[in-house]
Amino acid sequence: LPEDMTLLLPTVELKLFLSDQLSLDLSMPVVNVALSNALRDYFFVTGEAYLNFHASAPSSMELFVAPGIGFSYARDSWEENGIDVVESAWAFHVPVRIGVEFNNALRKFSWAIAMRPFFNLVHGHKGDIKPGGGVMLELTFMTYGVSFRADRY
């Protein structure tokens, strides 16, 4: 991958449907977090929450917009000249997911394509706060543990 590009590996997402058109989505990239912590000698965790508006639901093709908030934390420690050094940093995320989701007839499986622009405020170990941001392209495959409703499709 190019230096300024990141790959987001499989992510665990919990969706709590508040209505046919609205869900609360909690997302954590567990594979990225596990690999990051295993391959580097530091602690890292991140996660995001979205309020997902499914504007065209219920349907086999649903448009959605999902503004969200997120948080990341990293902590590193090492010994330097006989002194224990500890550094930590955090980031506050403001992402938005915009895309389309395609559902099968029983809504047991779906796939989606989305764009995720985001803005970050990163607080480093020196006390400075730096803004940043970018855009991610998502391709999502999901399974659902919901009961089929004949009135849905």
Side-chain angles (χ1 to χ4, degrees), residues 25 27 47-51 66-71 92-96:
D25 304 352
S27 179
E48 295 173 337
Y50 297 91
L51 194 55
I69 58 169
F71 190 78
F92 176 70
H93 315 280
V94 182
V96 177

Side-chain angles (χ1 to χ4, degrees), residues 21-113:
Q21 288 85 23
L22 184 63
S23 67
L24 176 63
D25 304 352
L26 304 174
S27 179
M28 181 179 217
V30 293
V31 175
N32 282 68
V33 168
L35 282 175
S36 179
N37 287 320
L39 297 175
R40 306 266 321 252
D41 191 21
Y42 66 73
F43 174 75
F44 172 72
V45 67
T46 187
E48 295 173 337
Y50 297 91
L51 194 55
N52 198 338
F53 298 95
H54 304 263
S56 56
S59 155
S60 60
M61 184 178 90
E62 298 178 2
L63 303 173
F64 64 86
V65 174
I69 58 169
F71 190 78
S72 296
Y73 176 77
R75 183 177 185 271
D76 195 6
S77 60
W78 64 93
E79 187 176 313
E80 188 175 293
N81 300 327
I83 299 171
D84 289 333
V85 179
V86 177
E87 290 186 353
S88 62
W90 56 263
F92 176 70
H93 315 280
V94 182
V96 177
R97 295 174 66 207
I98 304 163
V100 61
E101 180 178 349
F102 301 92
N103 301 300
N104 73 345
L106 298 177
R107 195 172 183 131
K108 296 290 185 184
F109 175 80
S110 72
W111 70 275
I113 188 163

